[in-house]
Amino acid sequence: MLTLYLPLAYSSRYRRAASRTLGLAPGSGLMLTPASAPEGPLLSASPTANCGWHTRGVPQSPDPRGPDEPCVLLKLGEIVLKGRNRQQFERILQGNIRAAVREIGVPVELRQREGVILLRVADGEQRGEPGWTQAAAQIAERVRDVPGIVRVCQPLRVVKTPEAVTAAAVALTKGRTGTFAIRARRRDKRFGLTSAQLSVLVGREIVEAHGLGVNLSRPDTEVFIEVDQHEVFVFTEGVVAVGGLPVGMSGRGVALMSGGIDSPVAAYRMMRRGLRCFFLHFSGMPLTGPESIYKAYALVRGLDRFQGGSRLFVVPFGKAQQALASSGADRLQIVAQRRLMLKTGAALARRLSATALITGDSLGQVSSQTLANLTALDDATKLPILRPLIGWDKSEIMAEARRIRTLAISELPDQDCCTLLTPRRVETRARLDDLRRIEGRLDVEDLADTLAASAQEYRQEEP
């Protein structure tokens, strides 16, 4: 016999709907019991069922605050596929989430579930209903840029009864037109209704309340219902987030930030793979003005929302370029100065305990990025040089820059150091012997250390 523990105020309409959903005829063994039942789920088919939650050391107490609480639900991606070190990924992600939300000044409570993270507004009741909803929206907007999260949802957190779930779903679909579909999921298998039964029960009430049609393949509105351990989440949509891995999980790297379109996208792609980036910009000063520094700072400030705590280092590179030109670099000028930039980046990386360099190179995009020249650049340092855009064309890079909102800044005019002292013809097949001969005239290793030591740091302003 299946026993459903229901509140005394449970209406006869819901009793009939539950019976129809379960496919039971009158008198066939369905017993509706008032809410004097033992503590636990309000719907119970097996009191001995186990849940097997992954708490990861995060508090899991029910702490109900009443129905229809606006909150934020974060869906995790490839983190859930990790093995024994999954807890380390989750701990880093939780720290990144807390740091990101701290910027907007909204106190949150974070709770880890199996494959999801729940964020609740800690002082929601004090804010009142409009303020509570607004605070949840602020949290959702901020955390969508945190790598490691694939989807951000803003559900209503309701008590664990079919009546509360149905009421929330009916309220969320009010004013909607067209067709709808219910997408129900039971994380807690102790819940008395299966996902299919819950979908039928809620769907029938929405049809009766609003007269919407049902379309399970291409609905105009999707209502998601997720039955969790202590509560149920009901929502109608979600926003795609960054995805990838939590920043800091893959180590540290120094990104060479030119101020153009490519390098910010390259840094973003590596942050999305869990690499914390420091930024190194080479200005043409004293031969140029400070415009390129302003651009680099603005780009780093825009990228900071993906990792937080970004640091920008600026090296005055104009005199070093003059020295390379005086040493007879000629057609090798561009490749030689890029090798010097990489050596300077490696020297700075040693100070910052970084273990890689990141550039925005794209194979064959310009004459200095031929395969032969890239091979010559790899010889400049023992650190690995990461080129996440190596197979991208310019239109793909620009589309990504537009999506992460760096394109408009990159297109601002400035006098870049790479445009200084550029020869009429650039060597496309640089030979290492020729490059080393030029570098030997300048004692380039010491020059790189001197340039790294002269780097001026620009920190992002505190929010």
Side-chain angles (χ1 to χ4, degrees):
M1 176 178 292
L2 177 65
T3 302
L4 280 73
Y5 296 110
L6 304 171
L8 286 172
Y10 204 73
S11 67
S12 60
R13 184 180 69 176
Y14 285 97
R15 294 169 183 259
R16 292 193 300 270
S19 299
R20 291 195 304 269
T21 300
L22 296 174
L24 300 176
S28 59
L30 176 65
M31 184 171 67
L32 301 177
T33 306
S36 58
E39 294 183 0
L42 295 177
L43 276 164
S44 178
S46 174
T48 59
N50 295 321
C51 286
W53 301 101
H54 294 260
T55 62
R56 311 302 185 205
V58 180
Q60 296 273 334
S61 58
D63 188 23
R65 294 188 178 182
D68 299 352
E69 173 193 339
C71 58
V72 179
L73 202 62
L74 311 179
K75 304 296 185 72
L76 309 185
E78 58 185 291
I79 292 178
V80 302
L81 303 177
K82 303 303 178 183
R84 297 180 179 179
N85 60 346
R86 174 176 168 179
Q87 295 185 26
Q88 185 179 359
F89 283 83
E90 291 177 339
R91 281 196 299 269
I92 292 178
L93 177 58
Q94 291 166 13
N96 293 346
I97 291 171
R98 288 190 175 97
V101 176
R102 195 178 301 123
E103 297 176 7
I104 62 177
V106 178
V108 300
E109 295 178 5
L110 185 151
R111 297 183 182 179
Q112 183 80 46
R113 298 289 197 265
E114 178 63 23
V116 299
I117 292 178
L118 169 63
L119 300 180
R120 301 174 62 192
V121 181
D123 59 352
E125 291 178 326
Q126 302 173 15
R127 295 172 180 263
E129 184 176 349
W132 201 342
T133 303
Q134 183 181 6
Q138 286 181 282
I139 295 172
E141 178 65 24
R142 180 62 187 91
V143 297
R144 64 181 297 186
D145 289 328
V146 176
I149 302 167
V150 298
R151 197 166 187 83
V152 179
C153 307
Q154 291 183 247
L156 292 178
R157 176 177 177 264
V158 302
V159 295
K160 204 170 178 181
T161 67
E163 185 178 29
V165 174
T166 303
V170 169
L172 288 174
T173 52
K174 183 179 180 180
R176 301 293 180 107
T177 59
T179 59
F180 79 100
I182 303 294
R183 314 296 190 197
R185 178 185 179 187
R186 278 193 319 168
R187 290 196 189 92
D188 186 358
K189 303 305 181 185
R190 299 174 299 178
F191 194 68
L193 299 179
T194 66
S195 299
Q197 292 168 346
L198 185 59
S199 297
V200 173
L201 177 63
V202 175
R204 181 180 289 116
E205 295 300 318
I206 291 178
V207 171
E208 292 182 4
H210 306 311
L212 301 179
V214 177
N215 187 333
L216 299 182
S217 57
R218 293 184 178 180
D220 297 310
T221 301
E222 289 183 290
V223 180
F224 297 90
I225 301 172
E226 299 192 2
V227 181
D228 215 326
Q229 185 179 15
H230 297 296
E231 63 270 288
V232 181
F233 303 104
V234 186
F235 53 99
T236 56
E237 59 188 10
V239 179
V240 176
V242 173
L245 299 176
V247 170
M249 190 66 217
S250 301
R252 300 177 174 184
V254 174
L256 275 62
M257 179 69 67
S258 67
I261 298 173
D262 302 344
S263 53
V265 176
Y268 163 75
R269 300 301 299 182
M270 297 315 303
M271 286 189 286
R272 191 174 175 272
R273 298 311 304 162
L275 193 71
R276 172 164 288 280
C277 291
F278 302 102
F279 299 93
L280 174 59
H281 175 69
F282 293 89
S283 77
M285 295 180 71
L287 306 182
T288 65
E291 291 81 6
S292 71
I293 301 177
Y294 301 152
K295 278 185 64 175
Y297 183 85
L299 288 169
V300 172
R301 186 175 180 83
L303 293 172
D304 186 64
R305 70 184 189 276
F306 299 110
Q307 68 172 8
S310 297
R311 300 169 65 183
L312 169 65
F313 297 87
V314 177
V315 171
F317 200 60
K319 291 184 177 180
Q321 290 177 278
Q322 284 181 324
L324 285 172
S326 301
S327 66
D330 195 26
R331 292 178 59 179
L332 293 172
Q333 175 75 22
I334 300 297
V335 180
Q337 69 186 30
R338 291 200 64 195
R339 280 174 59 93
L340 179 55
M341 289 177 177
L342 291 170
K343 290 178 181 292
T344 305
L348 181 64
R350 289 192 293 270
R351 286 170 42 193
L352 301 173
S353 300
T355 56
L357 301 177
I358 303 104
T359 71
D361 294 325
S362 174
L363 184 61
Q365 186 178 113
V366 294
S367 55
S368 64
Q369 294 176 4
T370 62
L371 187 58
N373 286 350
L374 293 178
T375 302
L377 295 178
D378 286 333
D379 176 73
T381 175
K382 293 182 179 180
L383 285 182
I385 302 174
L386 306 179
R387 299 181 174 98
L389 309 183
I390 192 67
W392 292 32
D393 62 34
K394 197 64 176 182
S395 61
E396 292 172 320
I397 297 172
M398 291 181 67
E400 184 78 341
R402 186 177 295 108
R403 190 182 67 82
I404 63 174
R405 305 195 293 275
T406 60
L407 181 61
I409 300 174
S410 296
E411 291 180 332
L412 293 174
D414 72 304
Q415 193 172 6
D416 191 279
C417 71
C418 295
T419 61
L420 293 176
L421 308 175
T422 302
R424 293 183 61 184
R425 296 184 60 188
V426 177
E427 180 61 64
T428 58
R429 295 178 177 271
R431 297 195 307 173
L432 286 176
D433 291 342
D434 295 337
L435 290 168
R436 289 169 180 165
R437 190 178 305 112
I438 295 170
E439 293 172 349
R441 298 168 188 164
L442 299 177
D443 197 0
V444 73
E445 299 295 339
D446 288 344
L447 178 58
D449 289 336
T450 301
L451 289 172
S454 68
Q456 183 176 359
E457 181 176 356
Y458 293 79
R459 287 184 179 268
Q460 298 297 300
E461 298 176 0
E462 293 295 330

